[in-house]
Amino acid sequence: MGKIIAGFSKLTKEEKINWLTKNFFQNPSESVQIIEQYWNKNETLQNLHDDFIENTISNFYLPFGIAPNFVINGKEYVIPMVIEESSVVAAASLVAKFWSTKGGFKTEVLGTTKIGQVHFLFVGKKTDLERYFQENKIELFLATESITKNMEKRGGGILDIQLKDKTTDLANYYQLHITFETKDSMGANFINSCLEAIANKFRNDDIEIIMSILSNYVPECLVRAEVSCKIADLEIENPRKFAEKFYQAVKIAEIEPYRAVTHNKGIMNGIDAVVLATGNDFRAVEAGVHAYASRSGKYTSLSHCSIDDGIFKFWIEIPLALGTIGGLTALHPMSKISLEMLQNPSAKELMQIIAAAGLAQNFAALRALTTKGIQHGHMKMHLQNILNQLGASKKEKNSLIDFFKNQTVSHAAVVNKFNEMRMAKVAWIDFLDETLVRKKLSKLTSDSKPIFGIMNAQQMIEHLSAITKIANGNWTVDTFVSDEKMARRKPFLDTENELEIGFKPTLFLEQPNSFQFISMQQAIDDLISQLQLFIKVFEENPSRTVVHPFFGELNFEYWKKFQTKHFTHHFKQFSLL
């Protein structure tokens, strides 16, 4: 019990940190440094954060991102999202853009009623309790008059008070079930204050008040969001098949709780991110949403789909008790920024925005699941996190991102490729250094044997010259490389990878060409002249591009990248490097 402390809350922040790190960390000084580096340099702002909760020692940052291109009821939005999970913001943005050209999201608030309850025990006759309730119901409203005055000016307040008999579930248990309208306020403090005033007025010698508290289950504080278009407009290969698979995926979530939980978690990725960004209570929202998903007695999907008469329709109905005034929304500077970004919405408007974000996230997940699989997009986004963990440099990141554009991303694959890159670097030949090239090639004789391949030394030199002629424009080859192939192949030139042994564009014959020159020296001289011309033609026209027979259309920079790999490949072929 040596680490039990009394009066901890009375210590200064520095004293709390010193006690904590001394007793629970192996390296106290390093731990203190990490904790303090997340303090805000603005002392006033840091003090504001310190006062949000008790025993604050630092700040815990989460990424604050934005998802543009949302069109909701004809109005354009950029939606703020606070979340640590990769791909959520990107997915929401892509789906928002997708639906922006198809009418956007249609949303509607179905109700804004919130609930509070006074829980109590009564042992006497139910008729006596009912009579007592009816005789005092008006008094119960009057007991909250000072609390509800300002809320009523805004059109809110207590809507109704009902007596509910719950004795079949628990002996002697009754409740006052009270409905509220809190307008633009989330209303937790308002509701709880009203409930306590009502409880104090209602209690007597025969009524034992157990507790008075709001409920986060708000099935009548409901919002609907929907997207729809013709199946033919879904902009995907075989749209009918896609729509049918999407529909079945939703139906599975409607009847299978194991799937429904993960299905709804994806919805909450979008919802919680905006709830957090706007300073609302995401735990309350989560609790209410999942209770609503179980309202039938079985946990089920929050979203639904139909594909009737050639129309694809996807929608969600979800309870969201939110506020845009009061609480953290009025204190946290980033919450204020978020609400201003959303054009200072009312609570009703915020309900609709957040419902659209949840539906967008669900559509993105289901589209991925029913086509390429969820890991395809998720792991691409996760790649950046892996590279950060590995401490990759900017150049290494760019190279690895290019490499994995058309490769399956896994943590093991990224680590292996990263370690491979960190090994000894390739000794690339500077093919534009005439003195160096001549010096290397001068070592060759007619008897020089290749390590691989069937070309002899002079054929190799003439081969390098021939490829350089393509870039120079003095050898035109009839070749075509599709955009698809070019997009797949060209990123290789940005990597540190070498050309594989046996690399050969289709235009070259299996057997090497006959000699073009009577001596190896003449072949070397021709190669040097072609390299000089290579520089000249691109200097005269910097925007010039020439089609490479394998990599497609290349500009000067990419031709240099290819030539570096190509010369290195063949110099190694004859042990010149």
Side-chain angles (χ1 to χ4, degrees):
M1 300 295 287
K3 295 180 180 178
I4 302 300
I5 183 172
F8 182 74
S9 63
K10 295 182 175 62
L11 300 179
T12 66
K13 183 162 69 172
E14 288 74 13
E15 289 170 338
K16 289 171 183 162
I17 293 171
N18 288 335
W19 175 85
L20 172 69
T21 54
K22 179 181 178 181
N23 285 283
F24 291 93
F25 290 90
Q26 293 182 349
N27 190 332
S29 60
E30 180 182 326
S31 302
V32 170
Q33 183 180 6
I34 293 171
I35 290 168
E36 291 184 350
Q37 76 183 35
Y38 281 89
W39 290 359
N40 197 295
K41 294 179 181 179
N42 184 317
E43 187 174 348
T44 302
L45 188 58
Q46 184 57 56
N47 289 337
L48 174 67
H49 282 265
D50 288 348
D51 290 340
F52 285 157
I53 59 171
E54 303 78 19
N55 296 338
T56 304
I57 62 169
S58 192
N59 306 309
F60 187 95
Y61 294 163
L62 288 174
F64 182 100
I66 59 168
N69 301 319
F70 273 85
V71 176
I72 304 171
N73 294 337
K75 189 174 180 178
E76 297 172 351
Y77 290 93
V78 170
I79 295 183
M81 305 182 85
V82 172
I83 191 167
E84 87 297 343
E85 185 172 332
S86 58
S87 81
V88 169
V89 177
S93 303
L94 287 171
V95 169
K97 187 175 182 181
F98 175 84
W99 286 108
S100 68
T101 61
K102 298 169 180 60
F105 294 82
K106 304 293 190 298
T107 60
E108 177 186 6
V109 173
L110 305 178
T112 56
T113 301
K114 296 169 186 174
I115 305 297
Q117 295 169 321
V118 176
H119 305 271
F120 65 94
L121 300 180
F122 178 76
V123 182
K125 293 180 180 180
K126 179 180 177 181
T127 54
D128 291 343
L129 179 62
E130 289 173 334
R131 183 172 59 253
Y132 176 76
F133 170 70
Q134 291 299 332
E135 288 173 352
N136 288 277
K137 187 173 182 179
I138 294 176
E139 295 298 320
L140 299 181
F141 279 98
L142 293 175
T144 65
E145 199 169 30
S146 61
I147 303 169
T148 61
K149 184 177 180 181
N150 289 333
M151 183 66 75
E152 287 172 351
K153 288 179 180 178
R154 302 201 302 269
I158 299 173
L159 302 177
D160 193 17
I161 305 174
Q162 296 177 348
L163 174 66
K164 292 200 172 185
D165 181 355
K166 309 291 284 187
T167 55
T168 56
D169 299 317
L170 180 65
N172 306 319
Y173 169 43
Y174 294 85
Q175 64 181 226
L176 296 180
H177 187 88
I178 304 161
T179 51
F180 295 85
E181 170 58 63
T182 61
K183 304 306 286 184
D184 289 334
S185 169
M186 193 278 171
N189 290 331
F190 167 76
I191 292 173
N192 287 333
S193 295
C194 288
L195 293 173
E196 291 182 0
I198 290 170
N200 287 333
K201 185 65 178 177
F202 190 64
R203 74 172 72 243
N204 63 25
D205 293 341
D206 298 318
I207 293 174
E208 182 182 358
I209 303 295
I210 303 300
M211 57 184 168
S212 308
I213 186 70
L214 89 163
S215 172
N216 291 127
Y217 183 43
V218 285
E220 296 176 5
C221 188
L222 201 63
V223 59
R224 176 187 172 99
E226 174 187 305
V227 288
S228 64
C229 70
K230 293 179 181 178
I231 292 174
D233 293 338
L234 284 169
E235 298 177 18
I236 197 167
E237 185 178 351
N238 197 340
R240 168 60 67 175
K241 182 65 175 176
F242 166 74
E244 290 172 352
K245 286 185 68 176
F246 192 103
Y247 171 81
Q248 290 298 333
V250 175
K251 286 298 177 184
I252 290 170
E254 288 177 350
I255 60 95
E256 172 50 68
Y258 281 91
R259 170 58 196 146
V261 170
T262 308
H263 178 93
N264 291 344
K265 185 269 182 184
I267 293 172
M268 300 313 293
N269 278 344
I271 288 176
D272 283 345
V274 193
V275 172
L276 269 170
T278 56
N280 276 275
D281 187 345
F282 76 95
R283 285 92 48 200
V285 169
E286 281 273 356
V289 164
H290 293 301
Y292 186 77
S294 304
R295 66 193 183 282
S296 66
K298 182 178 180 180
Y299 191 90
T300 187
S301 170
L302 292 161
S303 62
H304 308 281
C305 180
S306 67
I307 48 173
D308 299 325
D309 301 321
I311 300 297
F312 173 88
K313 183 184 292 185
F314 184 49
W315 72 94
I316 190 172
E317 288 186 3
I318 192 166
L320 293 174
L322 305 169
T324 56
I325 61 173
L328 202 62
T329 61
L331 293 173
H332 201 300
M334 291 304 292
S335 294
K336 294 178 182 178
I337 284 286
S338 295
L339 291 170
E340 184 177 355
M341 187 187 305
L342 293 171
Q343 302 164 66
N344 295 313
S346 65
K348 279 187 174 182
E349 289 170 329
L350 186 58
M351 289 171 68
Q352 295 171 84
I353 292 166
I354 292 180
L359 189 65
Q361 199 61 39
N362 197 207
F363 180 85
L366 289 173
R367 181 171 63 177
L369 283 168
T370 55
T371 52
K372 295 181 179 180
I374 199 70
Q375 288 300 91
H376 180 82
H378 178 76
M379 291 306 293
K380 294 288 184 182
M381 295 298 298
H382 189 52
L383 174 60
Q384 189 69 45
N385 291 341
I386 298 174
L387 296 178
N388 287 336
Q389 291 171 9
L390 293 172
S393 67
K394 184 176 180 180
K395 184 177 180 180
E396 288 170 333
K397 285 180 181 179
N398 290 337
S399 179
L400 286 164
I401 289 169
D402 282 335
F403 176 80
F404 280 103
K405 278 181 180 177
N406 298 291
Q407 304 288 332
T408 299
V409 177
S410 71
H411 190 275
V414 176
V415 171
N416 288 340
K417 192 64 184 176
F418 175 76
N419 289 337
E420 181 182 309
M421 287 180 61
R422 283 286 175 97
M423 292 179 185
K425 298 295 183 182
V426 177
W428 301 108
I429 184 70
D430 182 357
F431 74 98
L432 293 178
D433 185 335
E434 179 180 337
T435 301
L436 177 63
V437 171
R438 283 189 181 276
K439 181 179 178 181
K440 294 287 185 183
L441 294 178
S442 67
K443 298 177 182 180
L444 296 173
T445 68
S446 58
D447 295 327
S448 297
K449 302 296 183 184
I451 300 173
F452 56 86
I454 58 176
M455 286 192 292
N456 61 36
Q458 184 170 331
Q459 287 168 332
M460 180 271 289
I461 296 168
E462 292 181 2
H463 168 71
L464 291 175
S465 182
I467 298 302
T468 306
K469 288 178 180 179
I470 297 175
N472 296 347
N474 50 11
W475 180 30
T476 303
V477 294
D478 185 14
T479 185
F480 171 75
V481 180
S482 68
D483 289 344
E484 178 188 1
K485 289 182 179 178
M486 185 168 68
R488 189 170 67 249
R489 296 170 177 175
K490 187 176 176 181
F492 169 79
L493 299 177
D494 288 317
T495 72
E496 293 295 315
N497 299 328
E498 297 181 74
L499 293 174
E500 294 182 3
I501 294 175
F503 170 79
K504 183 186 295 183
T506 55
L507 72 93
F508 295 110
L509 302 174
E510 289 298 320
Q511 297 297 321
N513 291 322
S514 301
F515 289 158
Q516 299 296 308
F517 299 94
I518 60 173
S519 70
M520 190 178 301
Q521 186 57 53
Q522 285 182 350
I524 293 173
D525 291 339
D526 178 68
L527 174 59
I528 296 300
S529 67
Q530 292 301 327
L531 291 175
Q532 292 170 346
L533 181 60
F534 175 76
I535 297 172
K536 180 181 179 182
V537 294
F538 281 104
E539 283 181 345
E540 290 175 350
N541 184 4
S543 61
R544 185 172 183 270
T545 61
V546 181
V547 174
H548 183 280
F550 182 81
F551 292 104
E553 190 172 11
L554 304 180
N555 61 16
F556 184 41
E557 291 303 315
Y558 274 97
W559 267 105
K560 285 194 294 184
K561 291 178 179 181
F562 167 74
Q563 291 279 64
T564 297
K565 292 181 185 292
H566 194 221
F567 272 68
T568 300
H569 176 76
H570 286 294
F571 275 40
K572 283 189 172 184
Q573 183 183 15
F574 285 87
S575 303
L576 300 178
L577 291 177

